[in-house]
Amino acid sequence: MPGRVCCCCAALRPRYKRLVDNIFPEDPKDGLVKADMEKLTFYAVSAPEKLDRIGAYLAERLTRDVARHRYGYVLIAMEALDQLLMACHSQSIKPFVESFLHMVAKLLESGEPKLQVLGTNSFVKFANIEEDTPSYHRRYDFFVSRFSAMCHSRDPDPEIQNEIRIAGIRGIQGVVRKAVNDELRATIWEPQHMDKIVPSLLFNMQKIEDIDSRVGPPSSPTVGVKEENPSVLAENCFRELLGRATYGNMNNAVRPVFAHLDHHKLWDPNEFAVSCFKIIMYSIQAQYSHHVIQEILGHLDVRKRDSARVRAGIIQVLLEAVAIAAKGSIGPTVLEVFNTLLKHLRISVDFELSDRRNSYESSTLSISSKESDERIVQNAIIQTIGFFGSNLPDYQRSEIMMFIMSKVPVLGATSQSLDPSNLGDLGTRRIQIMLLRSLLMVTSGYKATTISNALPAPFLDPLLSPSLMEDSELRQLVLEILHNLIDRHDNRAKLRGIRIIPDVSDLKIKRDKISRQDVSFMKKHGQQLYRHIYLGCKEEDNVQKNFELLFTSLALTTIELANEEVVIDLIRLAIALQDIAIINEDNLPMFNRCGVMALVAAYLNFLSQMIAVPAFCQHVSKVIETRSVEAAYFLPETIFKDKSNLPKSLEKDETDLFFLTNKIAESLGGSGYNVERLSVPYVPQVTDEDRLSRRKSIVDTVSLQVDILSGCGVEDKVDNTEEITFEALKKAIDNNGLEEQEKEKRRLVIEKFQKAPFEEIAAQCETKANLLHDRLAQILELTIRPPPSPSGTMTMTAGHPHYHSVPVYEMKFPDLF
């Protein structure tokens, strides 16, 4: 019988061989002879130097039995090996382990599924043994390859296929555990191993029926589920593998994931890709999150020429990864994320426009689907930028706001923006809108301690530039971004929609006392904000949303930044807006004129209640009541709901329908306000931004209307208007005979405006703007007099209704720029 020898020969054989032979019964069905196995174990423990010989002899018998298909004796040999491994933990076990691994390899190489499973089970038991000292010469290359191949079993019998795949996954798990515990992690993390292990696990993970239930943090399924479901076991092994990854080998574990997703075309649809990276982000150590994000960005660059849906799938994966890592350590990749996404935004726009041009040339309608796919890519990029930016710390968010704003292309400007030269007007507009949408999401929820931190000059100037564009959507986005940054007490939702608010106290507005920093900000940049609101009201393509956002801008400025001086400026601005509708120098449509009138009514109603001056409130209420009876189209509740009932013309002498400067000055003056500046009409500042915009520059025709309050207070209409040239004003100022010096000074000023950098000019003008304005008003009050006769160069015009008690003069300056 196999396993037994004759008595004569047995007496001559070494003892360890006799002990090994005795553990094999005559009939393999009887199983291992336990009594003889105890003797063999005692002998191995007592004489550990014999372990290597015992292992070699067992390996010899097992190899012979495998070749002869005597699988019963193979099972007995492996059981004996397992017991010896568990009992012996000395340094002498190293040679025995080599024999053991050789026997396991023989089983895995056989084509018999039962033997493969048997060898795997033995290897897993071995992997769980903690050896006293690491074995630096031992390698597991064969086992990695073999177990990975078992994970892809295609056995025609589903049960056997499932059994082999489970064995392969458990074997990979054992290799990982053993390699890490043996301090051989440098070998197992090599790319040639990871390129086999990771795809094998992902291949089995694809069989998960309910993906959404398995994308969260690691769970602990029951043992039964692990044994029966290869996908669940593969996922747990994948989580364990990633959890053991360190700084130096993280990338080697992640890169094979991209190769697998590319090879199996799993980016579109990308449900499995998203679930994989959610598992990765939840499994790795938090401080390594930026490695994964960098790898996703790198792969996005590699696939930048692929279809739009593939790129959208990768970007969606990036969004999910960022969503998990946003609160962790992602600092090193912040700018890289945004720079890469903005680059791909430009690429997407290029593809969209090229597809559109091709569709025009070929006269086909099939391109519309490609354009739609590119829009999906662009929306995914914007969503990712916004989500990433909105979860950054405030100090990083400020930098990202500046970074995105620097990329917004402005026609005629040279900056670090995305080059619009090859995009054309349509492409430039698309880039502008998408970047501003991204910026809107980044600024959402941003709460700066001071407005100067939220709106520094290098950010404010380029942000307001698009508000001069002849595009209502661009202007809307700019205003919404301003609201995000100005609204520090979440009052915007209470102000949503433009309307006459009966009682502002019902809104329960939250506000704090304006700080010194905010006062300083308004002194430096207040005129800039007023100017863009003023110019925004003059655009012909304004719709209801534009007027609503302009109203909200005025209201938030009042809540967050208004002291007594700012209140006066805001009233001057409101009266100037009313002039836009009444005088209509820009030939605005009647809807726009009525919309501006409604905007002024809604805002002055809000402002009067906020500052709570009874006489002011009374004047505003009286005008609103009169309008509701005689001109409802001047109120927001009517004009924005019923555009059909518009007047054919606006009568300038219907003073009961207008807010009058003298009435407002009288009401505020009685409450201690300094109303002297109300006598100076608001005129927007002229900046270099006008030439960078697509609208007509107001530099060409700057008109200054000077309001001189009559000393007697009698409301007499004066219809005279005197045109004063720049030379006339110069002569009036030049009282000291310094004409030549003045000429030289003006020449230097003009030369400076022509050659000096705009930043330098703006920095100097900011500090002098208010002083220059007041000085000019004083000079005009001292020098301008009513004309002696109606002859000569005088022009007769009707006075403004709210200036009906004072003479109005118009002065036109030449273009100094």
Side-chain angles (χ1 to χ4, degrees), residues 377-432:
V377 174
Q378 294 159 14
N379 290 333
I381 292 175
I382 292 170
Q383 188 179 7
T384 305
I385 290 175
F387 189 89
F388 196 1
S390 61
N391 283 279
L392 291 174
D394 286 346
Y395 72 92
Q396 279 188 332
R397 204 189 308 196
S398 298
E399 295 176 359
I400 294 306
M401 288 159 50
M402 299 278 290
F403 181 75
I404 296 177
M405 200 67 242
S406 68
K407 299 294 182 180
V408 177
V410 178
L411 293 176
T414 57
S415 65
Q416 300 177 354
S417 62
L418 298 180
D419 181 17
S421 58
N422 298 325
L423 293 175
D425 291 350
L426 179 60
T428 300
R429 178 184 178 275
R430 290 283 298 149
I431 290 290
Q432 288 172 332

Side-chain angles (χ1 to χ4, degrees), residues 578-590 593 650 652:
Q578 184 176 250
D579 288 349
I580 292 176
I582 297 174
I583 302 174
N584 197 26
E585 292 180 348
D586 297 278
N587 296 320
L588 294 175
M590 185 55 68
R593 298 173 68 184
L650 298 182
K652 300 179 180 179

Side-chain angles (χ1 to χ4, degrees), residues 20 23-25 28 31-33 37 40 54-55 57-66 70-85 96 100 103 107 118 122:
V20 169
I23 67 174
F24 291 93
L32 182 68
V33 180
M37 185 65 212
L40 177 62
I54 295 174
Y57 184 61
L58 276 171
E60 179 185 340
R61 288 188 58 111
L62 183 138
T63 302
R64 184 174 65 248
D65 292 335
V66 169
R70 297 189 296 196
Y71 298 139
Y73 289 112
V74 173
L75 295 175
I76 293 173
M78 292 307 301
E79 184 179 356
L81 283 169
D82 292 342
Q83 292 190 24
L84 289 174
L85 279 174
F96 176 73
F100 168 79
M103 287 183 279
L107 297 180
L118 176 64
S122 294

